[in-house]
Amino acid sequence: MILAKIIGDVVSDHKISDYKGIKMLVVQPIDPDGSPNGKTFLAVDGVQAGVGDTVVILDEGGSARMLLEEPEIFTIRAVVAGIVDQIAMDGLE
Amino acid sequence: MILGRVLGTVVASRKSPRLEGGKFLLVEKIDPATMKGKKEYIVAIDGAGAGIHEIVFYATGSCGRYTDATEGKPSDATITAIVDAIEIDGDYVYNKATDA
Amino acid sequence: MILGMVTGTVVATQKADKVDGAKYLLINKCDEHGAVKNDFYVALDQVGAGHGDMVMMAQGSPNRQTERTTDRPIDASILGIIDLIGKGDVVAYKK
Amino acid sequence: MKLAKVVGTVVSTQKLECLEGIKLLLLQPLDEEQNEIGDVLVAMDPVQSGEGDVVFYESSKEAARAYNEWFQPGDVAIFGIVDHIDLEKE
């Protein structure tokens, strides 16, 4: 998984049926200190996350199907899997 | 598999129920030639019982789901081993017993 | 498969891979002439490769398709040792 | 699928048994305008392509299905030889 910050929502009316009712978010990969690292991309929301949240993102199709409880959807890969409360390093938070 | 150093833990109380019970570790990739961090970070599920500061390697993609800790669970990066030693061109660049 | 030079070994006793007798090698990615790129991978050795060998390494889920690696968390393994790479009439690499 | 040019042949005698009899070629990935991009790869060749051919290949799971005898551990396979590419120029 990678650390990322949610920086936007994506609205799409016209999309393939797999994506009906699914919330898409714009995410910015970040370093543990919160600074951006790498290009933004889109991820499907699996945990009711919102803009501003620091999250972990799973980027693997089979895992995405499990996480969304959607075994028949083969078109989703990157999913927001958890909202980060805390990162602990060397006793620091 | 990719070599990395465990920097810390990541706590996420709101997460997919499928991920309950997994320990999330923050891992920085390392360059084994210098043993320095590459400032590239991933969050991995711990499949090997790793601790902070340990050198580990992790499996990515769907392969990460094939450990006891991740069986039937979503994971795209799983720590599969704690490294005891790394040898390059005949020299030990890392030896856990003496470096740790 | 990517090309890589075997540059070292990685020793690990506490493992989750459940692969019997697994030997892990440190692979430095290289071009077809053997020039290394300082891009390192840890790979399961399936063919008895040794230090200085140029090898081909597979990445991702196809690595689970051998007898030893079925349902194991192996995302990189050495599938063969390179003897020769020919480009037209030119030999780019010879073991 | 991605584009590549066959730039060489690869010989390996000490290899996994399931790769016996499979032709291995050296690929240079190309972009759609046939500029070289990225590092060379070793690919399994079930379509009898040759040096100089522009081919399309797949990597990862799909490549493992290139041969009929179930999955292969190889992660790169050539799926076809490209005759020509028409690009709509702006």
Side-chain angles (χ1 to χ4, degrees):
Chain A
M1 290 172 280
I2 62 159
L3 285 173
K5 191 170 184 141
I6 298 176
I7 58 169
D9 294 304
V10 180
V11 181
S12 163
D13 283 337
H14 190 73
K15 54 192 171 191
I16 62 169
S17 56
D18 286 355
Y19 279 72
K20 286 267 157 63
I22 272 174
K23 190 165 92 177
M24 308 253 318
L25 299 164
V26 186
V27 299
Q28 167 69 59
I30 58 170
D31 279 349
D33 65 5
S35 54
N37 180 352
K39 287 184 179 155
T40 61
F41 61 96
L42 304 185
V44 161
D45 183 24
V47 288
Q48 268 126 54
V51 171
D53 285 341
T54 296
V55 295
V56 283
I57 293 175
L58 259 164
D59 189 18
E60 197 268 312
S63 298
R65 288 192 286 280
M66 278 183 207
L67 214 141
L68 297 169
E69 312 279 348
E70 293 280 6
E72 299 301 319
I73 290 188
F74 290 91
T75 50
I76 291 175
R77 209 176 96 162
V79 180
V80 177
I83 299 174
V84 174
D85 303 311
Q86 187 195 55
I87 300 171
M89 294 163 61
D90 287 335
L92 302 170
E93 288 182 9
Chain B
M1 286 69 74
I2 304 289
L3 288 166
R5 180 181 279 115
V6 178
L7 293 185
T9 52
V10 175
V11 181
S13 48
R14 182 158 18 132
K15 57 178 176 267
S16 157
R18 290 286 201 135
L19 285 170
E20 289 298 339
K23 185 168 80 169
F24 296 175
L25 293 177
L26 180 66
V27 178
E28 182 179 15
K29 291 185 199 177
I30 59 161
D31 177 347
T34 61
M35 292 304 288
K36 289 210 166 76
K38 295 174 79 174
K39 298 203 187 311
E40 293 172 46
Y41 305 92
I42 62 123
V43 179
I45 293 183
D46 184 17
I52 288 184
H53 304 313
E54 283 188 311
I55 302 293
V56 297
F57 61 75
Y58 59 92
T60 58
S62 57
C63 299
R65 297 204 308 267
Y66 292 84
T67 68
D68 289 341
T70 55
E71 201 181 344
K73 282 185 181 173
S75 176
D76 62 354
T78 305
I79 294 174
T80 55
I82 300 169
V83 173
D84 298 315
I86 301 172
E87 171 267 324
I88 296 181
D89 295 335
D91 294 324
Y92 280 96
V93 293
Y94 172 75
N95 188 333
K96 191 180 171 187
T98 52
D99 295 356
Chain C
M1 286 75 78
I2 64 166
L3 292 171
M5 300 297 294
V6 178
T7 55
T9 47
V10 177
V11 183
T13 43
Q14 198 172 334
K15 296 180 298 173
D17 59 27
K18 299 170 276 180
V19 180
D20 292 335
K23 184 173 86 176
Y24 289 101
L25 294 176
L26 190 65
I27 303 301
N28 194 343
K29 195 175 173 183
C30 70
D31 69 8
E32 66 271 35
H33 304 288
V36 293
K37 295 171 184 285
N38 286 329
D39 190 2
F40 293 93
Y41 299 86
V42 179
L44 175 73
D45 180 23
Q46 302 225 52
V47 293
H51 197 273
D53 283 341
M54 188 197 274
V55 295
M56 50 186 178
M57 182 191 108
Q59 295 171 283
S61 59
N63 285 294
R64 297 201 310 267
Q65 306 300 342
T66 68
E67 225 167 89
R68 282 181 84 198
T69 58
T70 304
D71 292 346
R72 301 286 190 263
I74 302 296
D75 69 351
S77 65
I78 297 168
L79 304 186
I81 301 168
I82 309 288
D83 297 311
L84 184 93
I85 297 178
K87 295 177 84 174
D89 298 334
V90 184
V91 174
Y93 170 83
K94 194 169 188 300
K95 189 178 170 181
Chain D
M1 269 155 320
K2 296 165 206 141
L3 289 172
K5 189 174 181 174
V6 179
V7 294
T9 52
V10 177
V11 182
S12 167
T13 43
Q14 197 172 338
K15 61 188 169 193
L16 278 181
E17 219 168 89
C18 48
L19 287 173
E20 291 295 335
I22 287 179
K23 193 168 104 184
L24 299 169
L25 294 175
L26 189 69
L27 295 185
Q28 169 62 57
L30 302 174
D31 69 11
E32 73 283 3
E33 290 178 330
Q34 302 191 24
N35 302 307
E36 296 185 359
I37 47 164
D39 297 326
V40 292
L41 296 168
V42 180
M44 306 183 288
D45 177 27
V47 297
Q48 302 305 320
S49 48
E51 273 192 63
D53 284 343
V54 173
V55 296
F56 57 91
Y57 70 96
E58 190 52 89
S59 48
S60 198
K61 202 167 14 186
E62 291 70 20
R65 304 299 294 266
Y67 290 83
N68 292 330
E69 313 97 51
W70 195 221
F71 286 107
Q72 282 293 337
D75 64 339
V76 182
I78 297 169
F79 280 1
I81 301 169
V82 174
D83 295 316
H84 59 94
I85 301 167
D86 292 322
L87 280 183
E88 219 157 287
K89 293 272 181 194
E90 295 204 357

